[in-house]
Amino acid sequence: MSQPAGANAPVVSLRGLRKEFPGVGGGSRVVAVDGVDLDIAEGEFVTLLGPSGSGKTTVLRMIAGFETPSGGQVLLRGADVTPTAPFERDVNTVFQDYALFPHMTVLQNVEYGLRVKKVPRAQRRERALEALAGVRLEGMEKRAPGQLSGGQRQRVALARALVNRPSVLLLDEPLGALDLKLREQMQVELKQIQREVGITFVFVTHDQEEALTMSDRIVVFNRGRVDQVGTPAEIYEHPRTTFVAGFVGTSNLLHAKASEALLGEAGLFSVRPEKIRLLADGEDPVMGETVAPAVVEEVVYAGATTRIVARLDAGDSLVVQRQNQRTSSLDTEALRGARVRLAWSREHASRLPDDDG
Ligand code: ATP
């Protein structure tokens, strides 16, 4: 038996969760989710991050109840809901394609769930208006979904889920259809809304920047398994596997030969590009800095920053990211082919396991 349901239990717990799908056309079975354990606390914004096909959506669908696990359990506030139907779970899902009813107004769309639950009309209206205000859509009640922008439609979808006041809101790539500017704006807004309503959000994305921007904790998926769980800073600054180092941010690896020469320790290390600086001619490194002589192979000017690829004398190439505070594209061009010295603080070289593939 699982632990008794209670206020102190995590809002969502996954225990050894597993999902296999039959192979298509007689092919071998697909293990989409391969033993996932996770606890999510009340009010947390947790992001499931991973490349396409890594199992994030399948995990979300098992929490929602749209998919039955092949093994393991889903618990909501300590109660095992693995056999429970989706509509009997205290969770709501927001999908990427919004799934709004086109023939209903914004208000009717938001009220819909309450109407199904037979909430009286006046109360329905009050809660729907409150939910619309919560997603900053006052004054749009009478419009049809077709008269809204993509970002506004996404907010209606959010209001429609929030109006039910679920314990947990599941969001499957909800910003995926928006263009980059709107997406960045919605990332900030969504986080603000989540803070205001205090509902636990479980958010699926394959976009590492989105995950870093919005989450209290990130769960990194790699082929159906969880590689690492941590705060954005933990995941970014101290990746625990080569996969995490490469998927979240730029993979900047020092292998055994270079690490032995530079750090005095043979192993696999990751150093983030913005932690590395170029020493000026005659400049001494500061205490605790590792210095690596190198030749610049490539320079890419990107407006706010410049990315420099440098081949170390000790072996391996590293990417250096430099803020363009005083430089212009002309200065950076002169760097190509130049001999330079890279420097970084020793604490910014994170050791990775050597054999995690
Ligand atoms: P994406 O970001 O592309 O949605 P994901 O990380 O969410 O990817 P899932 O959609 O969970 O990944 O899929 C995990 C694996 O399970 C994939 O190999 C996928 O092809 C497979 N899969 C998912 N749903 C089914 C299904 N209904 N039948 C068969 N295989 C499936």
Side-chain angles (χ1 to χ4, degrees):
M1 260 316 276
S2 61
Q3 63 189 109
N8 294 330
V11 181
V12 180
S13 297
L14 309 179
R15 297 274 176 268
L17 201 61
R18 190 176 162 80
K19 181 70 186 178
E20 288 180 23
F21 289 108
V24 184
S28 55
R29 296 172 75 77
V30 177
V31 181
V33 178
D34 192 6
V36 168
D37 293 293
L38 182 68
D39 284 328
I40 299 174
E42 180 89 59
E44 256 196 308
F45 194 124
V46 168
T47 298
L48 313 184
L49 172 70
S52 183
S54 57
K56 337 174 273 294
T57 299
T58 305
V59 167
L60 203 75
R61 290 174 58 79
M62 287 193 278
I63 300 173
F66 300 135
E67 211 74 77
T68 309
S70 315
Q73 293 175 312
V74 176
L75 291 86
L76 294 178
R77 294 193 194 282
D80 186 357
V81 297
T82 319
T84 309
F87 61 89
E88 287 173 341
R89 300 185 185 198
D90 191 11
V91 302
N92 265 106
T93 307
V94 177
F95 298 98
Q96 177 177 353
D97 60 5
Y98 320 135
L100 299 178
F101 300 116
H103 57 284
M104 292 186 188
T105 65
V106 164
L107 188 66
Q108 287 165 342
N109 262 285
V110 177
E111 278 185 344
Y112 181 79
L114 301 178
R115 223 166 75 197
V116 172
K117 286 190 198 153
K118 308 243 181 320
V119 174
R121 193 190 170 85
Q123 202 182 335
R124 219 161 67 199
R125 179 121 320 178
E126 189 189 322
R127 276 174 61 180
L129 289 172
E130 192 185 291
L132 281 168
V135 299
R136 305 155 181 47
L137 275 184
E138 298 100 329
M140 300 272 179
E141 301 82 28
K142 296 211 175 89
R143 294 220 193 163
Q147 297 169 313
L148 300 175
S149 70
Q152 290 166 335
R153 278 204 290 274
Q154 184 58 68
R155 273 181 254 196
V156 178
L158 195 60
R160 201 173 53 169
L162 290 173
V163 81
N164 297 313
R165 298 179 186 156
S167 289
V168 183
L169 195 62
L170 307 173
L171 302 105
D172 192 1
E173 303 249 4
L175 309 180
L178 307 178
D179 65 47
L180 183 65
K181 267 235 142 46
L182 191 54
R183 192 177 172 128
E184 286 174 350
Q185 188 189 327
M186 280 299 288
Q187 287 168 5
V188 176
E189 274 195 33
L190 200 57
K191 179 70 200 157
Q192 278 170 353
I193 291 168
Q194 189 265 342
R195 237 184 249 128
E196 283 164 21
V197 296
I199 290 176
T200 307
F201 275 31
V202 185
F203 185 94
V204 163
T205 185
H206 61 265
D207 182 330
Q208 44 120 349
E209 273 199 36
E210 189 157 286
L212 291 170
T213 310
M214 303 174 78
S215 323
D216 295 320
R217 278 193 307 155
I218 299 175
V219 182
V220 186
F221 278 76
N222 178 15
R223 295 195 229 150
R225 291 169 185 258
V226 172
D227 255 29
Q228 189 171 354
V229 182
T231 63
E234 281 165 1
I235 298 276
Y236 187 78
E237 307 273 342
H238 302 290
R240 255 198 247 126
T241 68
T242 323
F243 174 80
V244 175
F247 190 71
V248 185
T250 301
S251 173
N252 239 359
L253 299 179
L254 289 175
H255 295 85
K257 181 169 163 273
S259 72
E260 177 147 44
L262 296 168
L263 308 171
E265 193 182 340
L268 188 61
F269 287 82
S270 151
V271 194
R272 294 302 188 188
E274 71 283 357
K275 307 291 189 202
I276 307 176
R277 62 192 192 103
L278 294 188
L279 293 179
D281 280 345
E283 182 184 354
D284 289 325
V286 297
M287 266 262 285
E289 266 187 331
T290 302
V291 179
V295 174
V296 174
E297 290 185 320
E298 197 50 72
V299 185
V300 182
Y301 175 77
T305 59
T306 298
R307 290 169 80 80
I308 297 156
V309 183
R311 178 97 208 144
L312 309 186
D313 294 359
D316 290 322
S317 287
L318 291 181
V319 178
V320 180
Q321 186 171 328
R322 218 160 64 150
Q323 293 290 326
N324 290 338
Q325 271 158 340
R326 280 184 279 270
T327 40
S328 71
S329 60
L330 281 176
D331 302 325
T332 60
E333 280 305 308
L335 267 173
R336 194 167 282 135
R339 276 207 70 79
V340 291
R341 288 174 305 150
L342 311 185
W344 62 84
S345 290
R346 178 63 183 83
E347 83 231 38
H348 289 139
S350 287
R351 175 106 199 214
L352 299 169
D354 301 336
D355 55 359
D356 68 348

